[in-house]
Protein backbone atom coordinates (compact mmCIF):
# COMPACT_ATOMS: atom_id res chain seq x y z
CA UNK A 1 0.00 0.00 0.00
CA UNK A 2 1.06 3.56 -0.71
CA UNK A 3 2.88 5.16 2.25
CA UNK A 4 0.63 8.20 2.51
CA UNK A 5 -2.53 6.07 2.53
CA UNK A 6 -1.03 3.79 5.18
CA UNK A 7 -0.19 6.83 7.29
CA UNK A 8 -3.66 8.33 6.88
CA UNK A 9 -5.36 4.99 7.71
CA UNK A 10 -3.40 4.39 10.91
CA UNK A 11 -3.67 8.06 11.93
CA UNK A 12 -7.43 7.73 11.69
CA UNK A 13 -7.68 4.28 13.29
CA UNK A 14 -5.49 5.09 16.31
CA UNK A 15 -6.44 8.76 16.34
CA UNK A 16 -2.74 9.50 16.53
CA UNK A 17 0.19 11.18 14.83
CA UNK A 18 2.56 9.99 17.58
CA UNK A 19 5.64 7.95 16.67
CA UNK A 20 7.57 6.10 19.34
CA UNK A 21 11.29 5.82 18.78
CA UNK A 22 12.52 2.34 19.69
CA UNK A 23 16.02 3.58 20.46
CA UNK A 24 17.10 0.68 22.65
CA UNK A 25 20.01 1.54 24.87
CA UNK A 26 21.79 -1.14 26.91
CA UNK A 27 22.44 1.36 29.73
CA UNK A 28 18.80 2.40 30.06
CA UNK A 29 16.88 -0.83 29.54
CA UNK A 30 15.45 -2.21 32.83
CA UNK A 31 18.13 -4.34 34.48
CA UNK A 32 15.81 -7.17 35.44
CA UNK A 33 15.31 -8.03 31.74
CA UNK A 34 18.96 -9.07 31.48
CA UNK A 35 18.48 -11.65 34.25
CA UNK A 36 15.01 -12.85 33.36
CA UNK A 37 15.09 -13.54 29.62
CA UNK A 38 17.41 -14.68 26.85
CA UNK A 39 16.75 -11.78 24.50
CA UNK A 40 16.36 -8.67 26.68
CA UNK A 41 16.50 -6.19 23.78
CA UNK A 42 13.72 -7.85 21.81
CA UNK A 43 11.66 -8.48 24.96
CA UNK A 44 11.95 -4.77 25.75
CA UNK A 45 10.71 -3.76 22.29
CA UNK A 46 7.99 -6.42 22.32
CA UNK A 47 6.59 -5.13 25.61
CA UNK A 48 6.68 -1.49 24.48
CA UNK A 49 4.91 -2.42 21.23
CA UNK A 50 2.30 -4.56 23.03
CA UNK A 51 1.46 -1.70 25.37
CA UNK A 52 1.47 1.17 22.85
CA UNK A 53 0.37 -0.19 19.47
CA UNK A 54 -3.11 1.33 19.78
CA UNK A 55 -1.65 4.79 20.55
CA UNK A 56 0.77 5.39 17.68
CA UNK A 57 0.85 5.88 13.93
CA UNK A 58 4.50 4.79 13.64
CA UNK A 59 7.55 3.28 15.28
CA UNK A 60 10.98 4.63 14.40
CA UNK A 61 14.07 2.49 14.85
CA UNK A 62 17.33 4.37 14.87
CA UNK A 63 20.01 2.16 13.32
CA UNK A 64 22.76 3.40 15.70
CA UNK A 65 21.18 1.64 18.67
CA UNK A 66 21.07 -1.66 16.76
CA UNK A 67 24.38 -1.45 14.89
CA UNK A 68 26.22 -0.90 18.16
CA UNK A 69 25.06 -4.36 19.30
CA UNK A 70 26.68 -6.02 16.26
CA UNK A 71 25.16 -9.21 14.87
CA UNK A 72 22.70 -9.43 17.79
CA UNK A 73 21.46 -5.91 17.02
CA UNK A 74 20.66 -6.83 13.42
CA UNK A 75 18.66 -9.82 14.66
CA UNK A 76 16.72 -7.65 17.14
CA UNK A 77 16.08 -5.07 14.41
CA UNK A 78 14.69 -7.71 12.04
CA UNK A 79 12.59 -9.41 14.73
CA UNK A 80 11.19 -6.09 15.96
CA UNK A 81 10.20 -4.93 12.47
CA UNK A 82 8.48 -8.29 11.89
CA UNK A 83 6.67 -7.96 15.23
CA UNK A 84 5.25 -4.49 14.53
CA UNK A 85 1.64 -4.85 13.31
CA UNK A 86 1.36 -4.48 9.51
CA UNK A 87 -0.90 -1.43 9.66
CA UNK A 88 1.63 0.65 11.64
CA UNK A 89 4.29 2.65 9.79
CA UNK A 90 7.90 1.52 10.33
CA UNK A 91 10.59 4.17 9.90
CA UNK A 92 14.20 3.03 9.71
CA UNK A 93 16.30 5.96 10.80
CA UNK A 94 19.81 5.69 9.39
CA UNK A 95 20.18 9.19 7.88
CA UNK A 96 21.83 7.41 4.97
CA UNK A 97 23.39 8.68 1.80
CA UNK A 98 26.40 8.22 -0.45
CA UNK A 99 27.32 8.26 -4.15
CA UNK A 100 24.53 6.79 -6.27
CA UNK A 101 26.00 3.29 -6.56
CA UNK A 102 26.33 2.95 -2.77
CA UNK A 103 23.09 4.79 -2.01
CA UNK A 104 21.30 2.12 -4.05
CA UNK A 105 22.55 -0.52 -1.60
CA UNK A 106 21.47 1.57 1.39
CA UNK A 107 18.02 2.00 -0.15
CA UNK A 108 17.79 -1.73 -0.92
CA UNK A 109 18.82 -2.50 2.66
CA UNK A 110 16.11 -0.29 4.22
CA UNK A 111 13.26 -1.20 1.89
CA UNK A 112 14.02 -4.77 0.78
CA UNK A 113 16.22 -6.36 3.46
CA UNK A 114 14.47 -4.79 6.45
CA UNK A 115 11.08 -4.10 4.79
CA UNK A 116 10.69 -0.64 6.33
CA UNK A 117 8.00 1.74 5.07
CA UNK A 118 10.25 4.76 5.37
CA UNK A 119 13.87 5.84 5.68
CA UNK A 120 15.64 8.96 6.88
CA UNK A 121 18.18 10.31 4.42
CA UNK A 122 20.73 13.07 4.17
CA UNK A 123 20.59 15.36 1.11
CA UNK A 124 24.18 16.62 1.30
CA UNK A 125 25.35 14.67 -1.77
CA UNK A 126 22.62 16.01 -4.03
CA UNK A 127 19.99 14.33 -6.16
CA UNK A 128 22.00 11.34 -7.45
CA UNK A 129 22.39 10.10 -3.87
CA UNK A 130 18.70 10.67 -3.18
CA UNK A 131 17.10 9.16 -6.30
CA UNK A 132 17.85 5.52 -5.34
CA UNK A 133 15.63 6.01 -2.28
CA UNK A 134 12.90 7.99 -4.07
CA UNK A 135 12.61 5.29 -6.73
CA UNK A 136 10.93 3.09 -4.14
CA UNK A 137 7.49 4.42 -4.95
CA UNK A 138 4.93 3.78 -2.26
CA UNK A 139 7.60 4.15 0.44
CA UNK A 140 8.73 7.42 2.01
CA UNK A 141 12.18 8.96 2.29
CA UNK A 142 12.33 11.59 5.01
CA UNK A 143 15.03 14.03 3.98
CA UNK A 144 16.88 16.00 6.68
CA UNK A 145 15.72 19.59 6.26
CA UNK A 146 16.08 21.28 9.66
CA UNK A 147 17.57 19.03 12.33
CA UNK A 148 16.67 19.35 16.02
CA UNK A 149 20.16 19.75 17.47
CA UNK A 150 21.72 23.03 18.69
CA UNK A 151 24.39 23.01 15.95
CA UNK A 152 21.74 22.76 13.23
CA UNK A 153 22.29 26.50 12.73
CA UNK A 154 25.94 26.00 11.80
CA UNK A 155 25.26 24.98 8.19
CA UNK A 156 21.50 24.99 7.82
CA UNK A 157 21.17 28.75 8.43
CA UNK A 158 23.91 29.70 5.96
CA UNK A 159 22.45 31.96 3.31
CA UNK A 160 22.76 31.36 -0.39
CA UNK A 161 21.52 34.41 -2.33
CA UNK A 162 19.77 35.55 0.89
CA UNK A 163 17.89 32.26 1.37
CA UNK A 164 18.93 30.00 4.27
CA UNK A 165 20.11 26.55 3.25
CA UNK A 166 17.31 24.76 5.13
CA UNK A 167 14.71 26.59 3.00
CA UNK A 168 16.58 25.67 -0.17
CA UNK A 169 16.47 22.03 0.96
CA UNK A 170 12.72 22.38 1.56
CA UNK A 171 12.29 23.72 -2.00
CA UNK A 172 14.35 20.80 -3.32
CA UNK A 173 12.20 18.31 -1.40
CA UNK A 174 9.10 19.84 -2.98
CA UNK A 175 10.72 19.60 -6.44
CA UNK A 176 11.97 16.02 -5.88
CA UNK A 177 8.50 14.97 -4.80
CA UNK A 178 7.54 14.39 -8.43
CA UNK A 179 8.48 10.83 -7.44
CA UNK A 180 5.70 11.06 -4.83
CA UNK A 181 7.88 9.54 -2.12
CA UNK A 182 9.45 12.51 -0.31
CA UNK A 183 9.10 13.51 3.30
CA UNK A 184 11.05 16.01 5.41
CA UNK A 185 12.66 15.85 8.84
CA UNK A 186 12.26 19.00 10.90
CA UNK A 187 13.07 19.29 14.62
CA UNK A 188 10.34 20.43 17.02
CA UNK A 189 13.04 22.56 18.62
CA UNK A 190 12.80 25.01 15.67
CA UNK A 191 9.08 25.92 15.50
CA UNK A 192 9.48 29.05 13.32
CA UNK A 193 11.50 27.13 10.78
CA UNK A 194 8.95 24.30 10.90
CA UNK A 195 6.16 26.73 10.00
CA UNK A 196 8.17 28.09 7.08
CA UNK A 197 9.02 24.60 5.84
CA UNK A 198 5.37 23.47 5.98
CA UNK A 199 4.44 26.54 3.89
CA UNK A 200 7.10 25.63 1.29
CA UNK A 201 6.18 21.92 1.18
CA UNK A 202 2.42 22.43 0.86
CA UNK A 203 -0.22 20.06 2.19
CA UNK A 204 0.80 16.62 0.98
CA UNK A 205 4.40 16.02 2.00
CA UNK A 206 4.73 14.32 5.40
CA UNK A 207 7.04 15.84 8.00
CA UNK A 208 8.80 13.71 10.62
CA UNK A 209 9.18 15.88 13.72
CA UNK A 210 11.58 14.63 16.42
CA UNK A 211 12.69 16.74 19.39
CA UNK A 212 9.74 16.76 21.80
CA UNK A 213 10.37 15.17 25.20
CA UNK A 214 14.04 14.99 26.21
CA UNK A 215 15.15 17.64 23.69
CA UNK A 216 12.54 20.10 24.96
CA UNK A 217 10.63 20.94 21.75
CA UNK A 218 7.20 22.50 22.30
CA UNK A 219 4.33 20.14 21.45
CA UNK A 220 1.73 22.81 20.65
CA UNK A 221 3.97 24.55 18.12
CA UNK A 222 5.12 21.26 16.63
CA UNK A 223 1.53 20.27 15.95
CA UNK A 224 0.19 23.63 14.82
CA UNK A 225 3.17 24.43 12.59
CA UNK A 226 3.92 20.93 11.32
CA UNK A 227 0.55 19.44 10.37
CA UNK A 228 -1.40 20.32 7.22
CA UNK A 229 -4.80 22.00 7.33
CA UNK A 230 -6.46 18.69 8.20
CA UNK A 231 -4.16 18.16 11.19
CA UNK A 232 -2.37 15.36 9.34
CA UNK A 233 0.82 14.54 7.40
CA UNK A 234 3.02 15.09 10.44
CA UNK A 235 4.60 12.36 12.55
CA UNK A 236 5.74 13.53 15.97
CA UNK A 237 8.47 11.33 17.41
CA UNK A 238 9.48 10.83 21.00
CA UNK A 239 11.94 8.16 22.05
CA UNK A 240 13.65 8.30 25.48
CA UNK A 241 10.89 10.10 27.37
CA UNK A 242 8.45 7.32 26.48
CA UNK A 243 10.42 4.09 26.28
CA UNK A 244 12.51 4.71 29.39
CA UNK A 245 9.65 6.03 31.54
CA UNK A 246 10.09 3.15 34.00
CA UNK A 247 12.82 0.69 34.95
CA UNK A 248 10.88 -1.85 36.99
CA UNK A 249 8.65 -4.78 35.98
CA UNK A 250 5.89 -2.31 35.08
CA UNK A 251 8.08 -0.35 32.62
CA UNK A 252 5.77 -0.97 29.68
CA UNK A 253 2.74 0.33 31.60
CA UNK A 254 4.73 3.47 32.47
CA UNK A 255 5.56 3.87 28.75
CA UNK A 256 1.91 3.49 27.89
CA UNK A 257 0.95 6.23 30.35
CA UNK A 258 3.54 8.60 28.87
CA UNK A 259 2.53 7.76 25.31
CA UNK A 260 -1.15 8.31 26.08
CA UNK A 261 -0.45 11.68 27.69
CA UNK A 262 1.60 12.81 24.69
CA UNK A 263 -0.87 11.50 22.13
CA UNK A 264 -3.71 13.32 23.90
CA UNK A 265 -1.70 16.53 24.18
CA UNK A 266 -0.89 16.34 20.46
CA UNK A 267 -4.55 15.73 19.60
CA UNK A 268 -5.66 18.78 21.59
CA UNK A 269 -3.80 20.97 19.10
CA UNK A 270 -4.74 19.17 15.86
CA UNK A 271 -7.33 20.98 13.78
P1 LIG B 1 14.63 11.49 21.77
O1 LIG B 1 15.36 12.77 21.90
O2 LIG B 1 15.04 10.47 22.77
O3 LIG B 1 13.13 11.68 21.70
O4 LIG B 1 15.08 10.84 20.36
C1 LIG B 1 15.00 11.52 19.16
C2 LIG B 1 15.18 10.57 18.00
O5 LIG B 1 14.98 11.30 16.77
C3 LIG B 1 16.58 9.98 17.89
O6 LIG B 1 16.49 8.72 17.23
C4 LIG B 1 17.30 10.97 17.01
O7 LIG B 1 18.41 10.39 16.33
C5 LIG B 1 16.19 11.34 16.01
N1 LIG B 1 16.31 12.68 15.37
C6 LIG B 1 16.52 13.79 16.13
O8 LIG B 1 16.51 13.75 17.37
N2 LIG B 1 16.74 15.00 15.51
C7 LIG B 1 16.72 15.15 14.16
O9 LIG B 1 16.90 16.26 13.67
C8 LIG B 1 16.45 14.02 13.38
C9 LIG B 1 16.17 12.82 13.98
C10 LIG B 1 15.63 11.76 13.11
O10 LIG B 1 15.93 11.78 11.91
O11 LIG B 1 14.80 10.98 13.54
Amino acid sequence: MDFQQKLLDITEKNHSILCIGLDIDRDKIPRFLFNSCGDPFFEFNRSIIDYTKDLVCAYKLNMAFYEVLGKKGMEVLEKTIRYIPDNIVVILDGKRNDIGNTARKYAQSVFETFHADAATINPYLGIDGVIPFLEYKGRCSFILCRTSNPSAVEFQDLKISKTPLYQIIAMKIKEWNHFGSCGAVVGATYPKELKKIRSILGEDIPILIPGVGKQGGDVENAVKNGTNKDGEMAIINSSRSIIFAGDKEDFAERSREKAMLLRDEINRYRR
Side-chain angles (χ1 to χ4, degrees):
M1 188 202 287
D2 173 62
F3 176 85
Q4 297 209 355
Q5 195 54 52
K6 183 168 180 175
L7 179 60
L8 287 172
D9 288 352
I10 189 68
T11 295
E12 190 182 356
K13 177 171 187 291
N14 283 354
H15 194 40
S16 180
I17 58 168
L18 172 65
C19 171
I20 295 182
L22 297 172
D23 295 351
I24 48 170
D25 183 335
R26 183 191 289 277
D27 302 328
K28 299 197 177 89
I29 284 181
R31 290 292 95 198
F32 81 89
L33 282 174
F34 290 89
N35 306 323
S36 62
C37 59
D39 194 349
F41 298 106
F42 178 67
E43 279 310 309
F44 178 78
N45 279 348
R46 197 178 58 77
S47 301
I48 300 282
I49 293 164
D50 286 347
Y51 276 82
T52 59
K53 62 188 176 199
D54 59 326
L55 302 174
V56 300
C57 67
Y59 290 104
K60 181 169 79 69
L61 298 94
N62 185 305
M63 293 292 287
F65 295 92
Y66 296 85
E67 285 173 357
V68 74
L69 301 174
K71 188 170 158 222
K72 177 77 205 155
M74 292 301 100
E75 270 171 40
V76 176
L77 184 66
E78 260 189 63
K79 263 167 89 174
T80 303
I81 291 175
R82 245 185 286 126
Y83 190 73
I84 293 171
D86 283 345
N87 60 346
I88 297 178
V89 165
V90 174
I91 304 169
L92 204 44
D93 176 14
K95 300 178 182 64
R96 300 295 197 212
N97 212 325
D98 210 309
I99 61 164
N101 184 54
T102 313
R104 248 188 304 286
K105 291 294 168 198
Y106 274 139
Q108 199 179 346
S109 158
V110 175
F111 295 130
E112 295 185 44
T113 307
F114 289 108
H115 305 286
D117 298 299
T120 57
I121 66 170
N122 187 327
Y124 195 70
L125 279 84
I127 187 66
D128 56 2
V130 171
I131 281 180
F133 292 88
L134 300 187
E135 281 176 347
Y136 283 85
K137 302 226 165 101
R139 311 293 178 97
C140 184
S141 295
F142 287 98
I143 297 169
L144 296 181
C145 187
R146 175 48 156 217
T147 56
S148 62
N149 54 317
S151 312
V153 297
E154 197 171 347
F155 297 138
Q156 296 165 25
D157 274 357
L158 289 179
K159 294 208 168 74
I160 298 156
S161 308
K162 297 197 179 144
T163 306
L165 179 59
Y166 80 88
Q167 290 183 24
I168 293 175
I169 302 287
M171 290 174 215
K172 282 285 175 194
I173 293 173
K174 172 98 176 146
E175 181 190 320
W176 293 341
N177 198 42
H178 62 82
F179 285 91
S181 45
C182 277
V185 179
V186 184
T189 44
Y190 292 101
K192 274 202 334 268
E193 289 80 355
L194 175 59
K195 188 170 189 172
K196 180 72 192 171
I197 291 165
R198 172 51 80 197
S199 77
I200 294 170
L201 296 180
E203 294 287 300
D204 297 331
I205 296 179
I207 305 181
L208 173 64
I209 308 173
V212 302
K214 287 281 175 199
Q215 296 179 56
D218 178 65
V219 175
E220 179 174 358
N221 283 322
V223 177
K224 289 185 173 166
N225 296 352
T227 55
N228 66 11
K229 66 173 168 22
D230 298 322
E232 290 165 345
M233 283 300 134
I235 299 177
I236 298 188
N237 180 84
S238 182
S239 307
R240 286 166 292 177
S241 67
I242 292 180
I243 66 172
F244 301 127
D247 60 0
K248 306 279 184 313
E249 274 79 357
D250 64 353
F251 73 93
E253 280 117 296
R254 299 284 84 80
S255 294
R256 178 174 178 80
E257 286 164 12
K258 283 276 188 176
M260 200 180 279
L261 279 174
L262 182 53
R263 182 196 66 165
D264 292 347
E265 186 183 1
I266 290 169
N267 282 340
R268 269 204 299 285
Y269 303 119
R270 287 173 65 201
R271 282 147 275 219

